[in-house]
Structures are given as structure tokens and as C-alpha cells.
Amino acid sequence: MAVDALSAMEAREKLYEVMDRDLPFEEKATLALSVGETYLGVENGHLTRIDPESDYWKAIASTDAADGTFPAGLQLDLRDTYCRRTIGGESPVRLHDAPNQGWDDDPAFQRHGLHCYHGSAITIDDELFGTLCFVSTEPRAEPFDDGETLFAELIARMLETELQAERTEAKIERLDQFASVVSHDLRSPLNVAQGRVDIERSARDSDNLEIAARSLDRMEDLIADVLTMARQGHEIEEAELVSLDAMAEECWDGVRTGGASVTVEADLTFKADPGRVRHLFENLFRNSVEHGGSDVSVRVGPLDDGDGFYVEDDGPGIPAADRDRVFETGFTTGTEGIGLGLAIVEGVVDAHGWAITAGESADGGARFEVSGVVVP
């Protein structure tokens, strides 16, 4: 290590401390780069955004000063940077003295005079985002060792995680806004249609009006499902203790179940967002009734290891070939739904950091197990 200002343990502790702070991404990235700069003993650290097709390179975060050589916001031609090598399949690239390593004719050295470079590729959603690089105009006495590369890669992976979270949250917000607009624009004419049908049915009734009323009610349910689906991706901000028994009974009463029955085998207290968990149980109950019929029997209880809970029924069950697909948006084997119910369930599970699997109950019906639940 070129600079002994930080030991490996101190550097990791500082990095974890930075990444745990609630800061805007650019500020957090700059602080993380600063830790890497000090540990690696280099002049600057940069997080870049790259588009190879347009030869685009831009520093979106940098430890260099605003009036320095490589400040945040600087845009360069990719061909004049070592980063083109990093994204070309050679990541990580490690240069401690570029001209003495045979890189004296490289455009990056010719243009910027950088003797020292350590670059790691950054990918988001399996696509190139850019690079994390550390540079110096002066050479290092020793090559970057494996421990230093491992630390640089740690920073890269942490920033990847932050970028992925930002991108996911942005997608969720756009989807939420879209769903809200669509829901509002659909509900206005829907409410008018429902009102007109109700007025007509108060004067006279017919099979056609009854069918129209049921169809309009179904449309209202579908709009609510779309809006719920859009909002499930948000992380849980506050959780409280929830009773499995009380939650199951409350949600059963809120679902049209006909002659179906539910039995809670035993209670379980766990931490969750009550509002979000209601969506989980309501949709699992609807799934059982839709596929098992109005006389289906549903059972709810804690898993044997106490790590979560299950919901199962004695209906026809889920074919083994479909059990990995039932949570996909749009997948359905029913005739009425549009494949959102179990996708909503998985959204609730993911938001809590839990896991869910679909299997077979002792009676041959469907069984859903939710694990990883926080049980005090």
C-alpha cells in the first residue's frame, strides 16, 4: 500500500460507516471514493458514466476539486481514457507505472499523463453503467496488491448496489405515478357508468343490467389491483407486531369467500407492515377461492421452525411445472383474473425482505410458505 494512513480494517470500517449514512448518492459516492483514495495512496478517485457507442465518458462523482483536472461533471472522449480498457473485458485494470509497463503510447497516457490507474467496471441490471477508477499522475513504487484490488472492488460493488436501488426506486415511483393517473382517469367514467346502471336497475332490472353491474364491479377490483401492484415495490419503512390469527381472520372477513372456510391452526406474532400484509393474505385467500371453489377449506399457521407462516388449501393445487411461475405478473390459470394477485403477494414479501415458495398441501391443494419473517 502506497500510503499507510489507513489500515485495511480502518478503511473497511470507514467505508461501511459512509455507506450506512443517509446521504444523496453523489455525496455518498464521493466520500466512498475518498476512503479508497486514501487507502490506495492515489491522487483522485472517480465514478464514471460510460456509453461506448457514443464514445461518452463523464465523471459523475470525483474527489478532485471543482477547479482540478478531473472534477465531477467532466466529460471526455472514452477513447482517451484507460476506462475503455476496463470495460473491454480486462477489468480490473491495474497500472502502477504506465510507461514502464508498456503503456507509454496509450492515448490515455499521451493525453492525460496518468502513470497510475486502477479501474473496475460498474454494471446495473446486467448492463454496463461505467467505471470506478483511481488515478495519479505520479507512478506508484509498487504494483497494486490483491488486497488493494479487493478493497477497490468492494467499493465498486457497494456503489453498484446503491445505483441499483436508486434505479429501482425511480422505476417504482414512475410506475406508481402512472398507476395513479390511470386509476383516476378510469375511475371517473367507471363511477358514471356504475351510477347510471344503478339508476336503471332501480327502475327495472334485467339479466343484462346485472351482468353489466358485475362487470363494472370487476373493473373496479382490477383497477384497485393495478394500483396495489404498483405500490408493493416500496420498502417497508415502519413495522409493528402483528398477530397471524387476528390478521387472517380480519382479511378473511374482507374477501368474498362464499361457503369457503378458514382455520388458523396456531397463532404467531411477527413484525410487519399491517397494511401491506393485508394485501398478502387477501390475495392468497382470493387465490384459494378462485381456484378451489366456494367450498374450499383454507388453513393458516406458523411454519414448523417458527421462521414464518403458511397458507394452504384443499383445492386442485398448482401443477409442479407452474410453481416457479405463479408469482410472475400476468401469469394465471384462472378465467377471471389478470395474473396480479400472486405478483402482489410476492411484492409484499420482497418489500419485507422475506421469501415465499409455492408447493403442495397435505390434501393435494396449494401451499404457500413465507419464511425469513422476524419473530421476536
Side-chain angles (χ1 to χ4, degrees):
M1 184 172 66
V3 176
D4 294 325
L6 290 176
S7 68
M9 181 176 294
E10 289 171 335
R12 285 195 300 271
E13 289 176 351
K14 283 185 173 293
L15 180 61
Y16 295 145
E17 179 184 337
V18 166
M19 301 309 293
D20 282 340
R21 295 174 66 181
D22 184 16
L23 296 170
F25 174 76
E26 288 77 9
E27 184 175 350
K28 183 180 289 190
T30 302
L31 290 173
L33 288 167
S34 180
V35 176
E37 171 191 302
T38 302
Y39 178 68
L40 297 176
V42 295
E43 294 173 7
N44 298 126
H46 316 293
L47 176 65
T48 76
R49 185 75 172 94
I50 288 175
D51 180 11
E53 292 185 2
S54 59
D55 198 35
Y56 174 89
W57 182 104
K58 183 175 182 179
I60 62 173
S62 174
T63 59
D64 204 355
D67 58 353
T69 306
F70 300 101
L74 176 68
Q75 187 170 325
L76 300 173
D77 291 334
L78 177 62
R79 62 178 176 272
D80 292 333
T81 71
Y82 291 129
C83 291
R84 78 186 190 285
R85 303 248 193 171
T86 301
I87 65 172
E90 302 178 25
S91 179
V93 172
R94 301 189 286 189
L95 296 174
H96 66 284
D97 191 355
N100 287 326
Q101 291 177 259
W103 291 50
D104 52 318
D105 60 348
D106 189 280
F109 182 76
Q110 295 287 334
R111 178 71 181 272
H112 305 293
L114 294 174
H115 283 252
C116 175
Y117 172 88
H118 191 293
S120 304
I122 300 287
T123 59
I124 308 295
D125 290 332
D126 297 323
E127 294 182 356
L128 174 70
F129 175 88
T131 61
L132 174 78
C133 52
F134 295 94
V135 302
S136 290
T137 54
E138 296 297 324
R140 280 170 51 112
E142 299 292 335
F144 291 102
D145 62 35
D146 290 343
E148 291 170 324
T149 290
L150 185 63
F151 187 73
E153 289 289 299
L154 176 62
I155 298 175
R157 302 294 81 79
M158 285 184 162
L159 292 180
E160 272 184 349
T161 300
E162 291 284 326
L163 285 165
Q164 182 68 69
E166 277 205 338
R167 179 174 292 186
T168 300
E169 187 62 28
K171 288 180 180 178
I172 291 170
E173 289 178 1
R174 289 195 299 271
L175 181 58
D176 197 357
Q177 292 172 359
F178 171 77
S180 296
V181 170
V182 170
S183 173
H184 178 270
D185 290 349
L186 287 177
R187 276 189 169 135
S188 291
L190 177 62
N191 290 337
V192 172
Q194 286 174 319
R196 295 286 182 168
V197 169
D198 288 342
I199 291 173
E200 193 65 21
R201 291 184 73 187
S202 66
R204 63 182 182 87
D205 206 353
S206 69
D207 290 342
N208 288 335
L209 287 173
E210 184 178 348
I211 292 171
R214 286 202 305 267
S215 297
L216 292 172
D217 289 343
R218 180 57 180 154
M219 287 176 62
E220 188 169 30
D221 290 341
L222 292 176
I223 291 171
D225 283 348
V226 170
L227 196 56
T228 299
M229 179 66 190
R231 290 172 174 164
Q232 290 313 317
H234 294 291
E235 293 184 358
I236 300 302
E237 295 183 356
E238 292 186 10
E240 59 186 71
L241 293 180
V242 172
S243 162
L244 178 65
D245 190 347
M247 180 61 68
E249 294 291 347
E250 177 186 342
C251 293
W252 186 261
D253 290 340
V255 175
R256 293 191 292 268
T257 55
S261 62
V262 65
T263 301
V264 180
E265 301 291 344
D267 198 9
L268 177 74
T269 300
F270 58 96
K271 295 192 72 175
D273 180 327
R276 303 284 281 277
V277 170
R278 288 188 189 95
H279 291 308
L280 181 149
F281 282 103
E282 288 172 355
N283 280 284
L284 287 178
F285 291 157
R286 288 192 190 101
N287 185 75
S288 291
V289 174
E290 178 183 345
H291 295 280
S294 60
D295 60 348
V296 70
S297 295
V298 179
R299 290 177 299 278
V300 180
L303 298 177
D304 290 340
D305 59 5
D307 187 39
F309 54 86
Y310 66 85
V311 176
E312 64 179 15
D313 59 52
D314 60 359
I318 305 169
D322 292 338
R323 289 172 190 165
D324 290 336
R325 300 183 58 205
V326 293
F327 301 106
E328 294 177 5
T329 301
F331 180 83
T332 180
T333 58
T335 57
E336 296 185 5
I338 57 173
L340 290 182
L342 292 181
I344 290 173
V345 169
E346 187 179 46
V348 174
V349 168
D350 288 346
H352 283 84
W354 304 337
I356 187 169
T357 57
E360 184 177 4
S361 71
D363 297 318
R367 178 181 171 96
F368 297 93
E369 295 188 356
V370 178
S371 58
V373 175
V374 176
V375 180

